[in-house]
Amino acid sequence: MTATTTPKEPPEAEAPPVGARTVPQVLAERAGDKAPYPAVSWRAGDGSVTTLTWAEYRELVLDTATGYLHLGVEPGQTVAILASNRVEHLVADLAASHCAAASVSLYPTLATEQLDHVVADAEPRVIVVEESARERIERVPWVRENRPHLITLPPQQSHKAESTPPAGPPTTWTQLLAAGAEHRTLLAEEIERRIGSIRPDDPLTYIYTSGTTGLSKGVILTHRNLLWDAEALERTGCFAYDYRVVSSLPLAHVAERLWSIYMPLHLGGHVWCCPDAHDLLDSLRAHRPSFFMAVPRVWEKLRQGAEMFLSLPMTENKREALQADRDTLAQEWLLLQDDAPVPAELRTAAQLAREGALRDIREAFGLDRTLVTGAGAAPLRRDVAEFFASLGIYVVQAYGLTETSGVALADRGGQGAGSVGLPLPGAEVRIAPDGEIELRCPGNTPGYRNLKDATAELYTADGWLRTGDVGRIDAAGRLHITDRKKEILVSSSGKNIAPTAIESLLAGRLFLDQVMVVGEGRPYLVALLTVEAQALKAYADTHGIPGTSTDALLDHPAIRAQVQTIVDQANALLSRPEQIKRFVLLPSLWGIESGELTPTLKMRRAAISKRYRDQIEALYQQA
């Protein structure tokens, strides 16, 4: 089945369609029509807030681009950035495009070997790096051998140039800005020539996949790719308001680049930089975003915070009313999820519930002015979505890949349990005979950097992009993701089993946190279950279960019996081959630094299986 919407061609008198423009051209437009409006804000170390207007933002980008030219950056070369979500990251990225170069943001959590693979593939002429990470980047073998220009960022976000340009090549951000400002007049014609030379299909950025199954690949994304995605999202009507967003997820992730760089650029929006994820709640309260997107892990953490807030003594006198309103909103959401009609009385009650005391809860989390909330990068568990729906926060799902420039399909409020929505205008989706989802849209990458064979494998003979995901399209044309094609387990009896659907029934229940199902080539399934230590201790205290350490509690019969009950409840919803026969409880959570999770928090199944090989084998050796 194919679902598609074709954008109309604009009249000749209007500006050319976004796909025919480039990022420097769009920034010039915003610096004109949005000149005095806020573009980027951040909180300084002393607590004060600094804001750049769109006119100031572009001037800073041009100073930086001129500084790059001073360092010898040529068209087609690469500028790498190893930094958190700060104004310099955004500026350094956009400045690369003004030199007809491409950018690549590096995950701060990458190990030295992973950094070496990415920079060796990207071959950056300049690397902009935070002071705290400079020593680490200097240890990377490719950097030691090729000696690119390293530009060090100050500990605090800054947009100020040094008063005196450096005598030699700049080595710090403030020196780079000073050199750029000094050479602006001299290099103005060259900057304009570079901007005029850029074609929409030239590379704008390289985004390296998180590498769940092997070495990461550099996805080539062009000006046309990313500007199409921004325009297509606007056409859906989801952003027909003043766009305000908090930038907090790594900018090496395509979704955060879309929300923090290209959507604000297209819409003339306002970005708040949040360099430290621990400051997310403060940033939400300070900026009151109109749009907020997060990965499921962040939504799960926000849920924990909301549950704690709801249990505070200050809410005690209105707890009964809050629960009644939450029940009303949850009832409405469940009907919408089932595509069932919502009675007029319930619609009215739900509207009043959203306007009541629950608005104060949303305000406490900085989401009271948020018109659209989204989840991406991985499926959001149904219980998490229902929890936020009961607060009046309907988290919509979207779907896409790095290879599709981010979002290719999105829910427009059509609901439908588990749906990721409809294709964006100009995009098409179909299901291959083996169940794989295939996409065709202007956001599709021209390929992988330096990997011709992988690029050829990415596309079908008739030009559709193979996603590697398995799914279905319902009668309303909405896409449902059922699993990753490469993660389908095949049992020893030949049964194909989708592990993520099973894992979602267990993850986040009580004190359980992460779940991985194992069973490739095995007679039955087993599960690795991590626990959240604080939640486990709270459960034990509430139920009078003795034990002070996590390890002691995990061995307690009452704890194991409770987990068995959770597993039994999940098994009751599954076919016999899908049921979990045995499990092991693990005291430590999986993380990025320890290698079990990718920077986008996806499980590295092979790495986890290798680390817990003995525990897995023990589960299959039990009588």
Side-chain angles (χ1 to χ4, degrees):
M1 178 175 179
T2 297
T4 182
T5 303
T6 303
K8 296 179 180 179
E9 289 295 326
E12 290 185 7
E14 295 182 2
V18 167
R21 291 182 290 170
T22 66
V23 161
Q25 291 171 341
V26 177
L27 179 57
E29 291 174 9
R30 294 296 82 78
D33 59 22
K34 295 284 186 178
Y37 291 89
V40 186
S41 294
W42 65 92
R43 193 183 298 282
D46 62 1
S48 63
V49 175
T50 302
T51 297
L52 293 177
T53 66
W54 277 99
E56 292 168 335
Y57 192 21
R58 183 171 187 257
E59 286 300 304
L60 194 56
V61 168
L62 289 173
D63 278 349
T64 307
T66 307
Y68 288 162
L69 293 190
H70 181 61
L71 289 174
V73 172
E74 297 291 340
Q77 290 186 331
T78 306
V79 173
I81 307 158
L82 178 56
S84 55
N85 298 47
R86 47 192 292 172
V87 62
E88 300 93 338
H89 197 144
L90 305 179
V91 170
D93 193 287
L94 287 171
S97 69
H98 286 64
C99 300
S103 65
V104 55
S105 290
L106 306 171
Y107 282 108
T109 53
L110 290 179
T112 300
E113 295 79 7
Q114 295 168 320
L115 275 174
D116 186 50
H117 167 71
V118 174
V119 296
D121 191 70
E123 300 181 292
R125 177 64 181 261
V126 175
I127 301 179
V128 179
V129 58
E130 285 184 330
E131 187 176 75
S132 59
R134 178 166 181 134
E135 184 178 344
R136 185 154 64 94
I137 200 70
E138 288 176 333
R139 293 199 303 266
V140 172
W142 186 91
V143 174
R144 291 203 311 266
E145 295 169 10
N146 293 273
R147 303 180 66 82
H149 293 286
L150 297 185
I151 302 296
T152 306
L153 295 174
Q156 297 294 332
Q157 299 188 79
S158 172
H159 66 290
K160 303 295 184 182
E162 288 190 6
S163 56
T164 304
T171 60
T172 68
W173 179 255
T174 52
Q175 289 176 355
L176 181 72
L177 294 182
E182 182 189 30
H183 293 87
R184 273 285 294 275
T185 301
L186 179 65
L187 295 175
E189 289 187 9
E190 177 61 15
I191 286 286
E192 289 303 314
R193 189 189 70 78
R194 293 279 186 100
I195 291 173
S197 72
I198 303 169
R199 303 274 70 86
D201 292 320
D202 287 344
L204 172 62
T205 189
Y206 302 111
I207 301 181
Y208 282 79
T209 60
S210 52
T212 56
T213 58
L215 290 175
S216 59
K217 299 186 286 290
V219 179
I220 305 167
L221 294 179
T222 68
H223 294 254
R224 188 189 304 275
N225 288 153
L226 289 158
L227 291 176
W228 166 79
D229 212 349
E231 184 192 29
L233 282 163
E234 184 194 20
R235 281 174 174 265
T236 66
C238 295
F239 298 98
Y241 49 78
D242 289 339
Y243 183 84
R244 300 188 315 279
V245 67
V246 171
S247 177
S248 62
L249 295 175
L251 283 158
H253 192 288
V254 67
E256 191 60 56
R257 296 184 68 80
L258 188 58
W259 309 135
S260 297
I261 301 177
Y262 309 118
M263 285 301 296
L265 191 66
H266 177 64
L267 297 171
H270 186 188
V271 180
W272 177 282
C273 294
C274 176
D276 189 337
H278 293 97
D279 297 330
L280 175 60
L281 188 56
D282 175 69
S283 295
L284 291 173
R285 290 167 174 162
H287 195 52
R288 293 292 199 268
S290 57
F291 170 77
F292 177 63
M293 179 269 182
V295 296
R297 185 71 174 162
V298 172
W299 282 113
E300 291 163 9
K301 292 298 182 183
L302 287 173
R303 174 186 179 175
Q304 291 177 352
E307 287 176 332
M308 291 178 62
F309 186 88
L310 288 167
S311 66
L312 292 175
M314 61 182 291
T315 66
E316 188 171 358
N317 62 343
K318 50 184 176 182
R319 198 162 293 163
E320 187 174 334
L322 283 170
Q323 189 58 54
D325 285 346
R326 290 185 61 198
D327 290 344
T328 296
L329 289 173
Q331 185 181 356
E332 179 193 46
W333 182 81
L334 289 169
L335 288 174
L336 291 170
Q337 289 289 293
D338 293 336
D339 289 325
V342 179
E345 297 86 349
L346 179 58
R347 287 201 306 273
T348 300
Q351 182 58 42
L352 294 175
R354 278 187 284 272
E355 297 170 0
L358 286 173
R359 192 183 187 282
D360 299 332
I361 306 297
R362 297 195 298 275
E363 183 177 0
F365 283 80
L367 297 175
D368 54 310
R369 300 180 188 174
T370 306
L371 301 176
V372 177
T373 53
L380 183 69
R381 295 203 322 264
R382 184 181 173 94
D383 64 299
V384 178
E386 182 176 352
F387 173 84
F388 282 102
S390 77
L391 300 180
I393 301 171
Y394 285 15
V395 184
V396 300
Q397 298 280 314
Y399 175 73
L401 313 174
T402 303
E403 289 86 345
T404 64
S405 302
V407 179
L409 297 96
D411 178 30
R412 273 73 130 187
Q415 302 298 326
S419 165
V420 295
L422 300 168
L424 298 185
E428 301 172 274
V429 61
R430 73 181 186 186
I431 306 298
D434 64 354
E436 184 174 7
I437 301 164
E438 295 175 348
L439 296 173
R440 185 165 64 186
C441 69
N444 282 3
T445 174
Y448 298 112
R449 181 178 168 90
N450 300 326
L451 293 172
K452 291 184 179 180
D453 290 345
T455 298
E457 293 173 2
L458 181 63
Y459 285 98
T460 65
D462 56 347
W464 289 72
L465 186 145
R466 298 184 174 103
T467 65
D469 290 317
V470 177
R472 63 180 179 85
I473 298 173
D474 65 21
R478 300 170 301 199
L479 179 65
H480 297 254
I481 314 296
T482 56
D483 222 301
R484 286 286 298 168
K485 185 177 180 181
K486 292 182 179 179
E487 291 178 358
I488 295 292
L489 302 176
V490 182
S491 68
S492 58
S493 61
K495 174 68 175 178
N496 287 353
I497 298 169
T500 56
I502 302 169
E503 291 157 355
S504 67
L505 298 175
L506 300 171
R509 297 284 303 277
L510 287 180
F511 46 78
L512 298 182
D513 197 307
Q514 301 147 314
V515 178
M516 192 180 91
V517 169
V518 178
E520 178 68 27
R522 304 280 194 165
Y524 54 84
L525 301 185
V526 299
L528 306 177
L529 311 174
T530 70
V531 299
E532 209 286 315
Q534 187 175 359
L536 175 64
K537 185 65 168 58
Y539 177 87
D541 291 344
T542 303
H543 291 80
I545 300 172
T548 56
S549 71
T550 300
D551 288 336
L553 287 173
L554 293 184
D555 287 334
H556 196 283
I559 295 295
R560 295 194 62 82
Q562 179 58 54
V563 175
Q564 187 62 61
T565 298
I566 295 173
V567 171
D568 290 344
Q569 291 170 346
N571 284 342
L573 303 173
L574 300 167
S575 66
R576 185 174 295 277
E578 295 172 316
Q579 292 177 358
I580 296 169
K581 189 169 183 180
R582 298 191 177 98
F583 62 85
V584 61
L585 297 175
L586 304 174
S588 58
L589 300 180
W590 301 323
I592 299 170
E593 292 79 4
S594 51
E596 297 97 353
L597 302 181
T598 72
T600 54
L601 304 180
K602 297 184 180 72
M603 287 190 294
R604 286 193 164 106
R605 294 180 182 268
I608 295 171
S609 297
K610 182 178 181 180
R611 178 176 176 181
Y612 296 99
R613 179 174 50 206
D614 292 344
Q615 291 92 328
I616 292 170
E617 290 304 321
L619 291 173
Y620 284 105
Q621 290 170 8
Q622 294 177 18

